[in-house]
Amino acid sequence: MLRVGAVTYLNSRPLIEGLREMMGDEGKLSLNLPSRLADELAASRLDVALIPSVEYFRQPGLKIVSDAVIACRGPVWSVRLLSRVPVRNIRRLALDVGSRTSAAMVQVLLMKRFGLRPETVELAIEQTPEAVDADAVLLIGDRAMHPARGVYTEIWDLGDQWCRSTGRPFVFAMWVAREETNTTQLATWLSQSRDLGMSRLAEIAEREAPTHGLSTGDVYRYFTDNLHFTLGAKEIEGLEEFRRQAEALGLVGNSTTRVH
């Protein structure tokens, strides 16, 4: 039985629609935070996982097993930098521990835009952004969608910032497995699940909205306007650009992994 791990956040719902039923007795699906999925894959507690894209470059011996991804081609809404000072003056940055890709992404963007390399501290899942001692906070997922009003001087949508500065999409997470794992059938299921989810976006939005404090319309627009779920040529270019810039800052080591 294949052990498959997916992200707990709203953005993964179109990717896993019907996946449990497709796998049947041949696979078991569990949900967790992106960073924890990467750790479980590295520890061989999972065979396949929807992991942060930066972890694909950090961990040797991995392969992308599907063209189903979580990406954006503009504003993403659910990944935000909230700053109490003008962004160019950030000296201490709190990073949401849930996703390592967004943590690397914001550091790349701050360096690219202002030549900044702020001190970083962790923002725990149970910790409120308002309580952390930092000039700015990186938030991801559902809680990034509901920032406290009137508290922050500047708010960056990191998807928007990335796409404007590079002219390329950004890929936040993709389905990855160790090289030796046989994923032929699973790759088909993952694409089929994504395609099924895309055909049911209105239903998924209606189902998920109440548990996320959003309207059905908000969730539907999030899926259709903010997210992109297919790994195409432009997304591969964006991944390679992210790898190069993260590597230049020492955030992925000297990675030999290339997108393929």
Side-chain angles (χ1 to χ4, degrees):
M1 178 182 289
L2 281 172
R3 299 162 297 172
V4 181
V7 180
T8 55
Y9 298 135
L10 177 62
N11 58 14
S12 72
R13 293 301 184 265
L15 293 186
I16 59 174
E17 182 73 3
L19 182 57
R20 283 191 173 95
E21 292 75 16
M22 291 177 191
M23 294 191 299
D25 294 335
E26 297 181 57
K28 180 180 179 181
L29 178 65
S30 60
L31 303 180
N32 213 326
L33 297 175
S35 55
R36 292 175 183 169
L37 293 175
D39 291 342
E40 290 186 352
L41 184 65
S44 298
R45 291 191 292 270
L46 288 173
D47 300 304
V48 181
L50 187 64
I51 68 168
S53 55
V54 73
E55 291 298 319
Y56 174 66
F57 298 119
R58 287 174 175 165
Q59 296 185 33
L62 298 181
K63 61 181 178 181
I64 299 172
V65 299
S66 173
D67 68 344
V69 297
I70 298 173
C72 73
R73 292 181 166 182
V76 69
W77 189 18
S78 56
V79 182
R80 285 175 164 177
L81 174 69
L82 288 71
S83 183
R84 300 184 178 105
V85 300
V87 170
R88 67 174 65 249
N89 296 333
I90 293 173
R91 296 296 177 265
R92 197 163 195 252
L93 172 64
L95 301 174
D96 193 316
V97 299
S99 175
R100 293 162 187 166
T101 286
S102 299
M105 179 190 192
V106 70
Q107 292 178 81
V108 164
L109 287 170
L110 289 174
M111 176 58 71
K112 185 177 180 64
R113 182 81 176 271
F114 296 118
L116 284 181
R117 193 72 188 271
E119 173 193 0
T120 60
V121 297
E122 286 190 350
L123 176 70
I125 297 301
E126 66 278 2
Q127 190 175 14
T128 64
E130 294 75 29
V132 68
D133 180 18
D135 297 318
V137 179
L138 168 72
L139 289 183
I140 66 166
D142 303 344
R143 64 177 176 172
M145 295 172 161
H146 305 282
R149 297 185 180 276
V151 177
Y152 302 102
T153 300
E154 285 190 59
I155 297 178
W156 273 13
D157 181 302
L158 294 194
D160 186 46
Q161 291 288 331
W162 173 269
C163 294
R164 286 176 182 272
S165 66
T166 68
R168 297 181 174 91
F170 191 86
V171 179
F172 291 94
M174 55 250 197
W175 291 108
V176 169
R178 290 182 299 280
E179 289 282 3
E180 68 273 14
T181 305
N182 185 345
T183 58
T184 304
Q185 182 58 59
L186 180 63
T188 299
W189 288 330
L190 294 175
S191 292
Q192 290 177 342
S193 179
R194 185 268 318 280
D195 293 345
L196 180 62
M198 295 300 292
S199 73
R200 294 180 177 175
L201 290 180
E203 297 171 45
I204 298 172
E206 185 174 6
R207 184 175 73 223
E208 296 292 335
T211 60
H212 295 276
L214 299 168
S215 71
T216 298
D218 282 341
V219 177
Y220 183 77
R221 285 187 292 274
Y222 176 54
F223 290 153
T224 57
D225 297 349
N226 298 113
L227 298 178
H228 183 72
F229 297 103
T230 300
L231 183 67
K234 291 294 185 182
E235 284 69 34
I236 290 174
E237 290 177 7
L239 273 172
E240 285 290 0
E241 178 68 17
F242 178 48
R243 179 194 61 76
R244 287 192 294 270
Q245 295 198 33
E247 184 177 295
L249 290 182
L251 298 174
V252 298
N254 293 317
S255 173
T256 58
T257 304
R258 298 295 183 269
V259 182
H260 59 277

